[in-house]
Amino acid sequence: MATRLVLTDVVDAWRAAGGGPVDIESLGGVDAARRVEAGEAVDVVILAADAIDRLMAAGHLFPGSRVDLVRSDVGVAVRADAPAPDIGTEAAVRAAVLAARRIGYSTGPSGQALAQRFACWGIADQVAPKLVVPPPGVPVGALLARGEIDLGFQQLSELIHVEGIRLLGILPPPIDIVTVFSGAVARTSQHPEAVRALLAFMASPAAEAAKRRQGMRPA
């Protein structure tokens, strides 16, 4: 879901440049990978790079077809009417996590990396009772806006357009979490060359403005 808006934007640019028709369905990364593993007929798969590599190793994607498309930072947000905690340093983020009553993060790679960070800080057991993980496809920002959590972590692209929340920024070094999203040609594709042309466009400078508009950076 982190790439939903940027893919819509990039596909619009592809069409404007004379590219062929593209129909992209966005859903949670876990569900997307399962559908590919089940043999669903698709042409192109766009997921976090490590998920692409796993699907390729399992024979679901053409070897050597991976194209890195965007780099996505994890952002931090609170409710719009809540005080804004400091997140400028690692120590400040740790303090904000400990002070929050309910914390939301996604099931994707960013959430896994965040859980590892809690473990490294030695606070995993303290944090566990207040963690809220939304169902796949439900953005963390929506939980913030509804008041179901107090502090949210998710891909910046999924937070920047949500009403009712306050975006604090991205995680600072050395605890920044950056996910590379990549595309590859599915084994089930009937149009592999068309897919390769689409991925080449998505990785080209022509798509850079769309990526930055949606809170991402070229890979």
Side-chain angles (χ1 to χ4, degrees), residues 62-81:
F62 277 106
S65 68
R66 171 181 150 182
V67 177
D68 294 340
L69 303 175
V70 293
R71 296 173 63 84
S72 178
D73 296 283
V74 168
V76 189
V78 295
R79 296 190 318 276
D81 59 351

Side-chain angles (χ1 to χ4, degrees), residues 79 102 134-135 138-149 163-165:
R79 296 190 318 276
R102 295 161 299 178
V138 176
V140 169
L143 301 187
L144 275 172
R146 295 199 295 260
E148 297 178 20
I149 58 174
E163 296 184 0
I165 72 172

Side-chain angles (χ1 to χ4, degrees), residues 2 29-30 48 50 72-75 97 103-121 124 127-128 131-134 138 140 151-156 158-159 171 175-181:
V30 173
D50 59 344
S72 178
D73 296 283
V74 168
V97 167
I103 302 165
Y105 68 91
S106 72
T107 57
S110 63
Q112 296 167 10
L114 194 64
Q116 292 172 0
R117 177 57 55 188
F118 296 158
C120 288
W121 284 340
V127 171
L131 290 179
V132 178
V133 180
V138 176
V140 169
L151 185 67
F153 298 85
Q154 197 162 34
Q155 304 288 344
L156 179 63
E158 295 189 78
L159 293 172
L171 288 169
I175 61 167
D176 50 332
I177 300 172
V178 182
T179 302
V180 174
F181 287 96

Side-chain angles (χ1 to χ4, degrees), residues 11-68:
V11 166
D12 285 345
W14 162 257
R15 291 177 181 139
V22 180
D23 181 18
I24 292 182
E25 180 182 357
S26 293
L27 65 158
V30 173
D31 289 339
R34 286 174 181 164
R35 286 168 59 172
V36 174
E37 290 168 340
E40 182 170 333
V42 297
D43 291 298
V44 60
V45 181
I46 299 171
L47 289 168
D50 59 344
I52 289 291
D53 288 345
R54 286 194 297 271
L55 290 172
M56 191 172 290
H60 299 292
L61 308 174
F62 277 106
S65 68
R66 171 181 150 182
V67 177
D68 294 340

